[in-house]
Amino acid sequence: MAFELGRTLLHAQSHDVAIRGAAEQQLHQWEIQSLPQFMVALADELSAEDRSENSRQLAGLHLKNLLSAKDPLLSVEKKKRWYTAIDTNSRARIKIASLNVLRSPKPQAAHAGALVVAKIGALELREKQWPELLNQLLKNMTADDVVDGDLLKTSTLEALGYMCEDLEEEGLDQMETNQILTVIVDGMGENGTSAVRIAAARALLNSLVFTRHNFDNEAERTMIMQVVCSAAKGLDDQLRIIAFESLARIGSLYYDKLPQYIEVLFTLTLTAIQQDNDEQVSMMAIEFWSTLCEEEIEMLEEEEGGHTSPQRRCARYVHAAATHIVPVLLQSTLVKQDEHADEDAWNISAAGAICLGLVAQTIGDAIVGDVLAFVEANILHGEWRRREASIMAFGQILDGPKPEVLAGPVQTAMPVLVRSLNDDHTLVKDTAAWTLGRICELHAQRIPQGYLQPLVEQLGSALQDSSRVAAQACFAIHNLAQAFEHAPKTRDTNALSPFFNSLLTQLLAATERRDWQDHNLRGQAYEAVNMLIQNHACDTRPVVVQVMQIVLQRLHSTFSVAIVSQGDKDERDQLQSLLCSVIQVITRAIDKEIEPFSDHIVAVLLQVLNNEHAVASEEAFAAVGAVASTVEQGFDKYMNDFFPFLIKGLRNYAEWQVCSAAVGTAGDICRALETQILPYCDEIVRCLLEDLQNPTLNRQVKPSVLSCFGDIALAVGGNFVKYLQPTFQMLEQAARTKVSSDDDELMEYMTVLREGILEAYVGVVQGLNDGGNSSLIQPQLATIFQFLEVVVREHDDEGIVKISIGLIGDLATLLEPHAEQVTAYFRQDFVSDLINQGLQQDSLNEIARWTKTKRETLLQ
């Protein structure tokens, strides 16, 4: 193997498909036959100075890829394999070889060695399995027995940087953190070469998450801040970029430690924004202030909600510095547009605009004066950059200041912004359309009455402009339509009715432009169509019905499109997805008037599902659910044809969004068919239980699966008794789920999971009540009330509180015949506290009063 390995690695990079395929197959064969031997051979190839630098680098990369993967599940398996499949002696040989290669005089080999050391180091430090690693890396920084000492330092620091990137926050103890910091700070010294300092700076950036203890120590904190600030003034552009990125991360992680450094950081960042020759450096300096804004916005919201802690108080750095920062952002960043950049390109103009918006959200009304002065001075300027910058500035401050403070400026700006849709320059028109979209989103009620018609007419014209401007016009129309979201659906007319037909016609035309792919124009146009239809008034109903006919015709025609390439298929599938979403929206919007179309709708939706494309299937399932909810028991005639697709969707573990959509549709159908769903229940319940038990299915699906059990129970009433035991078992198991309170994403999932559990219990309890099986819930009362107590203690989410109060009322109703046996559960303090909490909130008062009455009746 050793003799052939280098050649095989090189062949695996060949442009010749046959040679490359054979080499890849050989590498895979070696991996299967003897993974330890293969990994040792790769490590030997990597460390062999007499091999070509290219094959050594490839050996290192292949070894790294055997230790980790981008896919999280696969990565976990590969990490486990390091201990379960690789014997101790082989692991030791691989570690020694990879550590030795850091000393190589060949840069590519040394860099590849750093990657391997980092992957193994992150694994082993977590398990306390490589105690000598950090000492060896520390010695590398002062070694004088190598050909290239600076290359050794660079590769050592790269290894540390990559390792810290891989490690979790709790992966290092304090002694290990101190050792790493010692190496990094030594590498960041001003006497080092640029390569060494850059590698050290990257390592510091990745290690900051571990340094809380060091930042608590003033002397150590000051030392770290000094080396970072020194690097921020260095001669190398890349070094300065990383240094300012580190300062931004310090601002996020250690905001409370900034007071003694903020004046220096203020000067350093503003100088970089205004004067640095490298735009990337200026952008990272802007990022420091964007980060402080995000921190202060969060802290101010916490203060407003009464959730502050002594360790986390807003120092209002942004408020104090705003009079200096805002003019710099306006004059030194917004006017530096790159007219040839893509819409989503990240450059100094975009970074400055985002930062300005964050400053507006942080300091509110205080930003308005400076920005309005800039707008007034530049909005009619002869130079297009000035016009665009002024419009962008105005758009960015629309979120933050109080609406009444912006009322006058919005009304004054409207005529100029509408006229700007006809500007000579595309970027000015683009930003004007975006800003009008923001006004429609945040200040629709401030649009002067007489300006609705010119606004709509100009936005309609903008739909025929360049794809970039047209996409922004779609955004504005979408937000304008959304402003009518809370208008009564039964109203005969609304302010958009006179323009409804023309807007829909222009939007539908935009979806079929030749450049529909640019700037997601087709997707944006269909989203605007959906919002207009969702919030239409009764007098425009005939237009909506007409659009349904157009959409069905378009969807039907997609099945006869010639598919020559994968691109053709992707294009068709994306269009089908968009058209299915419009069908769903129309179906829910016009309710029973959909019935004449339902046969045609279901027929084409089944064709979409038959194509088995994930995104299109997801939308098709949602549209089927909308039809079922509308035609109710009339949906029974479609079940024989639809049911196989439903089961396939419920078992689609690989494409979890499709599975989730199928679960939602199953719930819709149960609610629609009620007891007519019984012939299909066994198979549906079996699939749902399999979903809950499948470890590979994305966890996001599971709350909706739990909720679906509630829908089934409500639909079939007493017939649900046969499913009670497995349902209660899985609800009890789900209720025991625990996650780290430090992980916001997991805590959010926990809220959704518990909401799903509560909805399931509500459905089961109400179903048992309808079936006269009240006694069957009694053995579960201890579990249910224990769960309720935990939920009430840990959640203040209004949705969860409401369902919890309702569940207690449902239980009291169900168990009234057994009051003597169950009163102890309803007398618990948390029950009365929860009901009283609901009585004090307007949105919960009605359900709380009903539950209070039911509880009192039971306790009499």
Side-chain angles (χ1 to χ4, degrees):
M1 183 193 298
F3 176 75
E4 297 178 42
L5 182 55
R7 186 178 60 186
T8 307
L9 288 165
L10 292 169
H11 282 175
Q13 307 302 309
S14 173
H15 293 296
D16 186 308
V17 175
I19 293 173
R20 185 173 69 248
E24 288 174 348
Q25 180 62 36
Q26 179 63 76
L27 291 170
H28 183 62
Q29 196 65 34
W30 282 332
E31 180 183 344
I32 293 171
Q33 286 174 348
S34 177
L35 183 61
Q37 185 182 350
F38 182 43
M39 292 182 77
V40 168
L42 287 167
D44 289 342
E45 181 76 20
L46 171 62
S47 60
E49 292 296 334
D50 59 342
R51 302 286 202 275
S52 77
E53 191 168 2
N54 198 3
S55 72
R56 294 177 69 189
Q57 181 185 32
L58 291 172
L61 292 174
H62 201 89
L63 187 52
K64 174 189 78 79
N65 291 335
L66 289 173
L67 292 161
S68 66
K70 288 182 180 178
D71 179 78
L73 290 174
L74 185 56
S75 188
V76 168
E77 287 305 310
K78 288 189 174 186
K79 288 172 182 175
K80 281 182 186 174
R81 201 169 60 170
W82 174 248
Y83 289 110
T84 58
I86 313 299
D87 59 277
T88 305
N89 289 337
S90 296
R91 288 204 305 270
R93 283 185 63 182
I94 294 165
K95 289 190 287 188
I96 291 168
S98 58
L99 201 51
N100 283 341
V101 83
L102 298 181
R103 305 168 68 86
S104 173
K106 304 292 179 60
Q108 286 181 317
H111 174 73
L115 290 169
V116 176
V117 168
K119 289 298 177 188
I120 300 174
L123 272 171
E124 300 240 327
L125 284 181
R126 195 181 292 119
E127 303 296 328
K128 308 301 178 190
Q129 292 289 313
W130 200 357
E132 67 274 18
L133 171 63
L134 293 179
N135 281 329
Q136 184 58 56
L137 294 178
L138 193 56
K139 288 176 184 175
N140 284 355
M141 298 304 290
T142 55
D144 56 7
D145 59 341
V146 290
V147 176
D148 190 337
D150 285 336
L151 179 56
L152 173 58
K153 289 179 182 179
T154 302
S155 58
T156 297
L157 289 161
E158 283 179 342
L160 282 171
Y162 294 135
M163 187 168 65
C164 289
E165 194 173 18
D166 274 1
L167 280 164
E168 294 170 2
E169 191 170 345
E170 64 276 8
L172 293 174
D173 61 34
Q174 192 53 52
M175 186 178 76
E176 291 166 338
T177 302
N178 290 341
Q179 287 177 297
I180 288 173
L181 273 179
T182 301
V183 176
I184 291 171
V185 171
D186 180 55
M188 287 186 75
E190 293 182 14
N191 296 328
T193 64
S194 289
V196 172
R197 295 187 76 193
I198 289 168
R202 281 206 182 96
L204 178 64
L205 176 65
N206 291 333
S207 69
L208 284 170
V209 70
F210 305 109
T211 58
R212 167 62 67 183
H213 178 81
N214 306 91
F215 266 81
D216 286 339
N217 182 301
E218 185 178 350
E220 293 180 21
R221 177 173 73 239
T222 299
M223 176 191 67
I224 295 170
M225 294 300 290
Q226 283 174 345
V227 296
V228 176
C229 290
S230 172
K233 293 182 281 189
L235 296 177
D236 189 283
D237 295 343
Q238 194 62 35
L239 179 62
R240 296 198 306 281
I241 291 169
I242 301 167
F244 278 110
E245 187 177 358
S246 296
L247 289 175
R249 192 165 295 180
I250 288 167
S252 173
L253 292 170
Y254 306 115
Y255 176 93
D256 57 316
K257 307 299 182 186
L258 292 180
Q260 67 196 98
Y261 314 106
I262 195 66
E263 289 185 19
V264 172
L265 298 178
F266 169 83
T267 305
L268 200 59
T269 51
L270 262 66
T271 302
I273 295 169
Q274 293 173 282
Q275 299 176 16
D276 202 286
N277 296 324
D278 190 300
E279 186 176 279
Q280 295 292 321
V281 176
S282 301
M283 288 164 59
M284 274 304 163
I286 293 169
E287 183 65 22
F288 172 78
W289 288 102
S290 294
T291 300
L292 287 196
C293 286
E294 289 168 348
E295 291 296 313
E296 295 195 351
I297 289 166
E298 189 175 327
M299 284 184 273
L300 290 168
E301 287 174 354
E302 288 171 359
E303 285 180 17
E304 195 175 323
H307 301 303
T308 54
S309 66
Q311 295 80 28
R312 189 167 163 79
R313 291 201 175 279
C314 181
R316 288 173 165 74
Y317 297 129
V318 180
H319 289 72
T323 53
H324 301 282
I325 296 169
V326 171
V328 168
L329 292 173
L330 294 170
Q331 301 290 351
S332 298
T333 71
L334 264 64
V335 294
K336 293 182 178 177
Q337 307 94 326
D338 179 355
E339 60 182 314
H340 303 297
D342 292 336
E343 181 184 18
D344 54 356
W346 190 243
N347 51 41
I348 190 168
S349 176
I354 294 297
C355 187
L356 186 68
L358 288 168
V359 173
Q361 292 176 56
T362 309
I363 69 172
D365 299 348
I367 199 173
V368 174
D370 283 344
V371 172
L372 287 185
F374 178 78
V375 172
E376 289 166 8
N378 292 283
I379 200 163
L380 300 176
H381 202 282
E383 165 59 42
W384 75 265
R385 292 181 188 279
R386 291 271 164 185
R387 295 197 302 277
E388 194 276 341
S390 67
I391 296 170
M392 175 60 76
F394 188 71
Q396 290 292 351
I397 67 163
L398 290 170
D399 185 12
K402 291 191 282 291
E404 53 270 25
V405 172
L406 291 173
V410 165
Q411 292 182 4
T412 304
M414 281 299 296
V416 185
L417 291 171
V418 170
R419 284 198 300 273
S420 294
L421 291 173
N422 291 317
D423 196 274
D424 294 335
H425 201 282
T426 297
L427 275 189
V428 177
K429 291 187 284 188
D430 173 69
T431 305
W434 173 79
T435 300
L436 287 166
R438 294 266 289 172
I439 289 173
C440 293
E441 178 186 12
L442 300 166
H443 302 278
Q445 69 279 15
R446 311 288 175 185
I447 298 173
Q449 188 63 36
Y451 252 87
L452 186 58
Q453 181 171 346
L455 170 63
V456 172
E457 288 175 353
Q458 286 301 318
L459 288 174
S461 298
L463 289 172
Q464 298 161 54
D465 208 309
S466 69
S467 57
R468 181 168 183 165
V469 174
Q472 291 292 6
C474 293
F475 167 73
I477 293 168
H478 172 280
N479 290 345
L480 183 60
Q482 194 170 30
F484 292 84
E485 194 170 24
H486 300 296
K489 303 298 182 194
T490 53
R491 279 181 60 175
D492 291 337
T493 191
N494 65 31
L496 277 184
S497 289
F499 319 108
F500 190 79
N501 191 13
S502 62
L503 278 177
L504 276 178
T505 302
Q506 289 167 311
L507 286 166
L508 289 169
T511 66
E512 297 197 311
R513 283 174 45 156
R514 287 185 178 181
D515 57 354
W516 62 266
Q517 289 178 306
D518 298 338
H519 304 284
N520 190 30
L521 175 56
R522 176 180 278 176
Q524 294 270 43
Y526 273 122
E527 282 188 28
V529 165
N530 285 346
M531 190 54 68
L532 276 167
I533 290 170
Q534 195 172 305
N535 296 325
H536 76 282
C538 291
D539 59 346
T540 57
R541 181 65 54 84
V543 180
V544 177
V545 173
Q546 189 179 351
V547 171
M548 174 61 95
Q549 293 171 325
I550 293 169
V551 169
L552 283 171
Q553 184 179 352
R554 287 187 179 185
L555 184 54
H556 193 75
S557 67
T558 63
F559 299 109
S560 57
V561 172
I563 304 297
V564 178
S565 65
Q566 183 61 39
D568 293 338
K569 184 179 184 304
D570 291 342
E571 184 180 315
R572 181 201 65 186
D573 293 338
Q574 184 199 30
L575 178 56
Q576 288 182 348
S577 168
L578 292 167
L579 292 168
C580 286
S581 75
V582 180
I583 289 173
Q584 182 206 164
V585 169
I586 295 177
T587 300
R588 294 197 184 277
I590 68 175
D591 200 37
K592 299 299 181 186
E593 291 181 50
I594 204 68
E595 289 181 359
F597 303 96
S598 60
D599 288 355
H600 190 182
I601 291 170
V602 173
V604 291
L605 291 176
L606 292 183
Q607 281 186 274
V608 174
L609 289 170
N610 197 47
N611 286 340
E612 297 187 352
H613 179 268
V615 178
S617 293
E618 188 181 345
E619 293 294 345
F621 272 123
V624 170
V627 172
S629 298
T630 304
V631 303
E632 296 178 326
Q633 298 198 354
F635 191 81
D636 186 51
K637 67 178 179 177
Y638 307 119
M639 278 302 290
N640 280 339
D641 292 330
F642 173 66
F643 190 61
F645 292 104
L646 178 63
I647 296 305
K648 191 177 287 188
L650 292 174
R651 290 194 167 125
N652 192 342
Y653 310 127
E655 295 163 332
W656 67 268
Q657 293 96 334
V658 176
C659 184
S660 183
V663 171
T665 302
D668 290 334
I669 291 172
C670 288
R671 289 190 294 273
L673 294 182
E674 297 180 334
T675 54
Q676 285 179 286
I677 195 68
L678 274 171
Y680 310 98
C681 264
D682 285 357
E683 191 67 17
I684 292 173
V685 169
R686 189 177 299 114
C687 288
L688 295 176
L689 289 171
E690 288 170 3
D691 286 344
L692 290 173
Q693 292 159 5
N694 191 315
T696 65
L697 182 61
N698 189 296
R699 66 168 180 258
Q700 302 298 333
V701 182
K702 299 192 177 181
S704 57
V705 171
L706 295 170
S707 182
C708 191
F709 277 98
D711 293 326
I712 296 170
L714 274 172
V716 303
N719 294 295
F720 192 77
V721 168
K722 64 187 290 190
Y723 311 119
L724 269 184
Q725 185 178 355
T727 300
F728 284 143
Q729 284 176 350
M730 61 87 185
L731 286 173
E732 189 173 347
Q733 185 178 352
R736 289 198 296 266
T737 303
K738 294 189 184 304
V739 297
S740 168
S741 59
D742 296 332
D743 191 320
D744 291 340
E745 188 178 325
L746 283 177
M747 288 302 293
E748 191 175 328
Y749 166 72
M750 197 66 173
T751 300
V752 178
L753 178 68
R754 286 176 169 173
E755 193 168 344
I757 296 169
L758 288 166
E759 287 171 349
Y761 274 130
V762 166
V764 170
V765 169
Q766 291 183 5
L768 289 175
N769 196 29
D770 293 341
N773 293 293
S774 58
S775 61
L776 296 177
I777 199 75
Q778 283 183 254
Q780 299 300 317
L781 284 181
T783 301
I784 294 172
F785 275 88
Q786 186 179 7
F787 173 65
L788 277 169
E789 187 171 12
V790 171
V791 167
V792 170
R793 185 174 67 246
E794 296 182 3
H795 292 274
D796 56 4
D797 177 84
E798 187 176 299
I800 280 195
V801 172
K802 185 174 184 177
I803 300 172
S804 300
I805 293 172
L807 176 56
I808 290 170
D810 289 333
L811 285 166
T813 304
L814 176 67
L815 293 165
E816 190 179 338
H818 313 281
E820 289 184 11
Q821 296 107 296
V822 301
T823 52
Y825 295 109
F826 292 88
R827 291 191 190 279
Q828 294 178 81
D829 290 342
F830 86 87
V831 174
S832 51
D833 291 344
L834 180 62
I835 294 171
N836 289 332
Q837 179 186 341
L839 291 170
Q840 292 165 20
Q841 292 178 241
D842 292 341
S843 56
L844 302 176
N845 186 268
E846 186 177 348
I847 188 82
R849 281 192 289 109
W850 175 81
T851 296
K852 182 183 179 187
T853 301
K854 291 295 180 183
R855 175 176 177 260
E856 287 172 348
T857 301
L858 181 136
L859 294 176
Q860 282 176 357

